[in-house]
C-alpha cells in the first residue's frame, strides 16, 4: 500500500510534470532552431578569399559504389577557392576482402529456393539486392549459379568506381583525391585517420605546409550518401573566421546539421513503413531540438560573458554527427585521431569534456532516412554503446588540458548517464505514469493528456509542416534532389496518431544489445545500412 501511494502521489506527478516540460521545451527548441536555419539560408553568402581556411572534405566509403558518383560530383562542385580545398574519397581493403569471402557464398545462395534481398545484403550494394534477387529467382535452377556469378563479377567495387572518377576530373571542380586504406580493422574512424596521416600527400600539391598551415586547416567529415548545400565550405570558413574574431581562437568543432530529407528510397508500406517514417521525423526532431539546440547553447556560453558557475551548470554534452562534422586539425591530433567505434559521438563527448569551443554551421546537409529496420536498430545499438560510457571518454582525455573544472567534467558525465537511463527506461516509466494518471486525480489526467499531445502529435504535425521548407533551404551544387515524399493525408494522420509510441521504437536496438550482453552473446556492429 505504501509503495502504491508513493507511486501515485509522488512519482506520477513528477513524471507527468517532466513529460509536459520536455514536450514544451522540444516544441520551442525545434521551432527556434528551424527558424535559425531558415533565416540563415536567406542570407547572402560571404565569399571566401584566398586566405580562408584550408578545408579537407573526407568521404569514407564502404560498399558505396551506387551513390559514390553523385556524392563526389556534389562535393567537388562546392563553392570555394580551388587552391584552398580538396575532396578525399577513402575506400578500404575491408570491402575487397569481404568481396572475396562473399564469392564463396554464391553456390549456397544459388541453391536457395527463393533468394531474398536480405540474403544478398553485403554481397551486392543495397540498392541492387532486390533486382539481383528477382533476376536470379526468374532463371532456370541449373543456370542460377552461373548467372549469379556473372552478376557478382560484373559489379564494380567502390574502389574501382572512385578510381575511375579520380582519373577523369572535370575542369573547374575541387580536386578529388582517392585513398585506399589497407584492411587494418576498425570502422569509419580508421579510414578517416588513414587520410589524416597523409595530409602532405593530399594538400602538398596546393602549396600547403604543415608547420605553417595546420592551425588554419579543418577536416570536414561526411557520410557517403550526403548531399551538401553549395555554400557549405564558405559557411564553414565564415563560421571559423567569426569565431576566431570573437574569441581569439579557432573553433575545435563546427557542426553542420544533418537533415534526413533525401528521398532516394521510399518507405515500405504497412506498419513497418509507418514506424520508419515516424523515426524519420524523430531524427529531424532530434537534429533540430537536441543537437543544434545544444551546440547553439554551447556557442552562446563560449562567446558571451556568463558567470563561471552558470556556464558550468548549463554546458551540455555535445553529440557530434559524422555527416557535417568539421574538426580543427590540431584538435584531431591532440585527441590522437578520430576515436573508435563512432568517430562522431566519441569526438563530441571528448571535446565537450575538454571544454572545447564548438560552433554551429549556418547551412544544413541532406542525407537519407532509414528505410529498413535492421539498419535502424544497428544504429541505435551502436549509438547507445558509444554514449553509455562517458567515463571512458573522460579517462581518454584526462591527461589533456581542459577548460572545465573537475566538477564541470563530473556534471557532464552524470548528465550523459542520465540521458542514457532516460533513453532505455524513460518511455516505459512515462507510459506507466500516463496510465496511472486517472488514479492520481483529474488534474494529473489533464496534465498527462497535455504532455502526450505536446510530445507526440503536436510536435509531429509541426515537423511535417517544416520538412518541405527545410529541404528547399538546402541548395545542392548539382541541382535539386528528391525530397522525402510529403506524406499523404492518410499517412500524415497515421504518423500523428502513432507518434506517442515512437520512443519505444528507439528502444529496440539498445535493449537487444543489452539482452545479448546479459545472455553472453557477442555484440558486433556491421556497416549501418540505410
Amino acid at each position: 500500500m505504501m509503495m502504491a501511494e508513493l507511486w501515485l502521489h509522488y512519482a506520477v506527478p513528477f513524471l507527468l510534470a517532466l513529460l509536459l516540460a520536455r514536450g514544451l521545451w522540444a516544441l520551442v527548441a525545434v521551432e527556434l532552431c528551424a527558424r535559425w536555419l531558415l533565416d540563415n539560408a536567406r542570407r547572402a553568402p560571404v565569399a571566401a578569399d584566398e586566405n580562408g581556411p584550408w578545408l579537407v572534405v573526407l568521404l569514407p566509403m564502404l560498399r558505396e559504389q551506387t551513390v559514390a558518383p553523385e556524392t563526389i560530383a556534389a562535393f567537388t562542385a562546392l563553392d570555394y577557392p580551388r587552391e584552398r580545398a580538396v575532396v578525399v574519397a577513402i575506400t578500404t581493403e575491408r570491402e575487397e576482402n569481404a568481396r572475396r569471402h562473399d564469392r564463396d557464398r554464391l553456390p549456397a545462395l544459388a541453391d536457395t529456393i527463393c533468394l531474398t534481398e536480405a540474403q544478398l545484403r553485403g554481397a551486392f550494394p543495397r540498392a541492387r539486392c532486390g533486382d539481383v534477387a528477382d533476376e536470379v529467382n526468374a532463371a532456370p535452377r541449373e543456370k542460377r549459379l552461373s548467372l549469379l556469378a556473372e552478376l557478382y563479377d560484373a559489379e564494380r567495387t567502390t574502389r574501382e568506381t572512385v578510381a575511375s572518377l579520380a582519373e577523369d576530373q572535370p575542369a573547374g571542380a575541387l580536386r578529388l583525391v582517392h585513398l585506399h586504406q589497407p584492411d587494418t580493422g576498425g570502422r569509419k574512424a580508421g579510414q578517416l585517420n588513414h587520410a589524416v596521416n597523409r595530409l602532405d600527400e593530399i594538400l602538398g600539391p596546393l602549396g600547403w605546409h604543415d608547420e605553417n598551415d595546420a592551425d588554419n586547416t579543418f577536416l570536414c567529415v561526411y557520410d557517403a550518401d550526403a548531399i551538401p548545400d553549395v555554400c557549405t565550405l564558405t559557411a564553414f570558413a565564415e563560421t571559423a573566421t567569426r569565431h576566431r574574431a570573437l574569441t581569439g581562437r579557432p573553433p575545435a568543432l563546427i557542426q553542420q546539421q544533418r537533415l534526413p530529407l533525401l528521398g532516394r528510397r521510399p518507405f515500405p508500406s504497412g506498419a513497418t513503413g509507418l514506424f520508419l517514417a515516424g523515426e524519420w521525423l524523430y531524427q529531424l526532431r532530434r537534429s533540430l531540438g537536441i543537437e543544434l539546440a545544444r551546440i547553439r547553447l554551447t556557442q552562446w556560453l563560449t562567446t558571451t560573458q556568463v558567470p563561471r558557475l552558470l556556464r558550468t551548470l548549463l554546458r551540455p554534452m555535445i553529440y557530434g554527427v559524422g555527416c557535417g562534422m568539421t574538426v580543427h586539425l590540431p584538435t584531431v591530433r591532440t585527441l590522437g585521431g578520430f576515436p573508435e567505434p563512432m568517430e562522431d559521438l566519441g569526438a563530441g563527448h571528448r571535446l565537450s569534456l575538454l571544454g572545447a569551443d564548438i560552433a554551429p554551421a549556418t547551412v544544413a546537409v541532406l542525407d537519407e532516412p532509414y528505410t529498413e529496420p535492421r539498419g535502424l536498430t544497428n544504429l541505435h545499438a551502436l549509438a547507445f554503446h558509444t554514449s553509455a560510457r562517458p567515463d571512458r571518454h573522460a579517462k581518454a582525455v584526462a591527461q589533456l588540458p581542459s577548460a572545465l573544472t573537475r566538477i564541470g567534467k563530473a556534471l557532464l558525465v552524470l548528465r550523459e548517464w542520465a540521458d542514457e537511463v532516460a533513453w532505455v527506461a524513460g518511455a516505459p516509466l512515462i507510459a506507466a505514469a500516463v496510465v496511472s494518471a486517472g488514479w492520481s486525480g483529474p488534474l494529473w489526467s489533464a496534465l498527462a493528456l497535455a504532455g502526450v499531445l505536446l510530445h507526440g502529435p503536436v510536435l509531429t504535425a509541426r515537423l511535417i509542416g517544416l520538412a518541405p521548407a527545410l529541404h528547399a533551404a538546402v541548395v545542392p551544387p548539382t541541382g535539386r534532389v528528391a525530397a522525402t515524399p510529403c506524406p499523404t493525408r492518410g499517412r500524415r494522420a497515421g504518423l500523428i496518431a502513432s507518434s506517442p509510441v515512437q520512443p519505444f521504437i528507439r528502444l529496440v536496438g539498445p535493449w537487444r544489445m543489452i539482452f545479448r550482453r546479459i545472455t553472453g552473446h557477442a555484440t558486433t556492429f556491421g556497416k549501418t545500412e540505410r
Side-chain angles (χ1 to χ4, degrees):
M1 187 66 177
M2 180 66 71
M3 290 299 296
E5 289 181 358
L6 287 173
W7 170 255
L8 291 174
H9 296 304
Y10 295 97
V12 168
F14 172 77
L15 290 170
L16 293 180
L18 190 64
L19 174 65
L20 183 61
R22 184 169 178 177
L24 284 169
W25 165 247
L27 190 63
V28 170
V30 164
E31 191 69 31
L32 290 177
C33 290
R35 288 294 150 201
W36 184 81
L37 281 176
L38 293 172
D39 289 344
N40 276 296
R42 299 186 188 103
R43 285 194 310 117
V46 177
D49 59 34
E50 58 184 16
N51 296 317
W54 296 85
L55 298 177
V56 183
V57 176
L58 300 177
L59 299 173
M61 295 188 170
L62 174 66
R63 299 203 309 269
E64 303 289 3
Q65 53 268 67
T66 304
V67 298
E70 181 184 13
T71 303
I72 288 173
F75 278 98
T76 54
L78 290 176
D79 183 17
Y80 203 73
R82 293 186 69 245
E83 64 276 8
R84 303 293 285 188
V86 65
V87 177
V88 185
I90 313 144
T91 56
T92 175
E93 190 65 18
R94 282 185 290 136
E95 178 179 333
E96 309 288 329
N97 289 340
R99 184 171 175 79
R100 286 186 282 270
H101 174 267
D102 286 334
R103 205 182 194 292
D104 296 335
R105 297 169 47 212
L106 296 185
L109 291 172
D111 283 340
T112 304
I113 295 176
C114 184
L115 196 59
T116 65
E117 180 178 345
Q119 290 170 311
L120 292 173
R121 190 69 54 81
F124 289 86
R126 184 184 183 280
R128 289 268 297 135
C129 289
D131 292 339
V132 171
D134 292 341
E135 191 170 349
V136 172
N137 288 331
R141 193 168 187 82
E142 66 276 8
K143 295 184 178 180
R144 284 187 176 185
L145 178 57
S146 60
L147 174 60
L148 187 59
E150 180 183 341
L151 293 171
Y152 189 81
D153 292 337
E155 198 70 49
R156 299 183 77 186
T157 65
T158 309
R159 180 183 189 177
E160 292 168 342
T161 302
V162 174
S164 176
L165 294 170
E167 289 176 3
D168 186 20
Q169 300 193 32
L174 297 180
R175 177 167 164 259
L176 171 65
V177 174
H178 174 213
L179 297 179
H180 188 71
Q181 179 205 24
D183 189 356
T184 54
R187 295 173 57 86
K188 181 179 175 182
Q191 291 174 262
L192 296 174
N193 291 329
H194 179 75
V196 173
N197 293 333
R198 286 157 180 78
L199 285 180
D200 283 328
E201 172 187 340
I202 294 167
L203 289 171
L206 299 181
W208 181 88
H209 298 285
D210 196 318
E211 60 275 14
N212 298 326
D213 299 314
D215 188 57
N216 199 28
T217 302
F218 292 84
L219 308 174
C220 314
V221 179
Y222 285 92
D223 289 336
D225 61 348
I227 296 294
D229 186 284
V230 66
C231 297
T232 289
L233 299 186
T234 55
F236 286 153
E238 181 185 2
T239 300
T241 302
R242 185 172 61 248
H243 189 91
R244 197 188 286 265
L246 287 171
T247 65
R249 55 189 179 269
L253 170 65
I254 304 172
Q255 181 64 65
Q256 186 178 30
Q257 283 317 117
R258 177 189 70 89
L259 302 181
L261 298 175
L262 273 183
R264 287 192 177 108
R265 303 183 186 95
F267 293 110
S269 58
T272 299
L274 180 67
F275 286 119
L276 285 169
E279 176 62 24
W280 153 61
L281 291 170
Y282 212 96
Q283 288 177 23
L284 183 59
R285 164 185 174 166
R286 179 177 178 83
S287 182
L288 297 170
I290 296 179
E291 293 161 5
L292 181 53
R294 289 189 179 192
I295 294 168
R296 292 184 67 201
L297 173 60
T298 299
Q299 185 188 42
W300 179 77
L301 292 172
T302 303
T303 58
T304 56
Q305 295 298 319
V306 180
R308 186 181 183 90
L309 177 60
L310 187 62
R311 185 182 291 115
T312 299
L313 293 174
L314 292 181
R315 190 176 182 95
M317 182 74 88
I318 296 300
Y319 302 119
V321 179
C323 186
M325 181 177 74
T326 294
V327 192
H328 191 217
L329 173 58
T331 299
V332 174
R333 290 173 169 170
T334 299
L335 293 177
F338 290 98
E340 295 275 9
M342 291 188 78
E343 81 298 334
D344 47 6
L345 283 176
H349 280 33
R350 295 180 187 193
L351 292 178
S352 297
L353 289 160
L354 292 177
D357 289 7
I358 299 174
T362 53
V363 296
V365 59
L366 302 178
D367 79 344
E368 297 180 71
Y370 286 83
T371 55
E372 57 95 22
R374 181 180 173 184
L376 187 62
T377 55
N378 186 53
L379 170 72
H380 289 159
L382 182 56
F384 181 82
H385 173 76
T386 305
S387 300
R389 293 299 305 271
D391 55 312
R392 290 181 177 173
H393 295 300
K395 184 178 180 180
V397 297
Q399 78 284 2
L400 300 176
S402 174
L404 302 185
T405 63
R406 292 181 64 182
I407 293 176
K409 290 181 182 180
L411 284 175
L412 278 182
V413 170
L414 291 173
R415 191 172 292 136
E416 184 61 21
W417 271 333
D419 282 350
E420 300 311 303
V421 170
W423 186 353
V424 297
L429 277 174
I430 293 293
V434 169
V435 171
S436 304
W439 286 279
S440 296
L443 173 62
W444 300 112
S445 296
L447 192 65
L449 178 61
V452 169
L453 288 175
L454 275 176
H455 202 270
V458 173
L459 187 50
T460 297
R462 184 60 186 138
L463 287 167
I464 292 173
L466 284 170
L470 289 168
H471 178 270
V474 178
V475 181
T478 51
R480 302 306 300 175
V481 293
T484 304
C486 183
T488 62
R489 182 175 297 180
R491 175 55 68 91
R492 182 178 303 187
L495 288 169
I496 293 172
S498 64
S499 58
V501 303
Q502 196 61 37
F504 289 93
I505 305 301
R506 302 177 68 84
L507 290 177
V508 175
W511 274 113
R512 181 176 179 272
M513 184 193 72
I514 292 169
F515 179 76
R516 289 182 63 85
R517 290 285 183 90
I518 292 173
T519 56
H521 291 84
T523 302
T524 57
F525 301 104
K527 175 179 165 62
T528 302
E529 301 274 9
R530 281 192 171 82

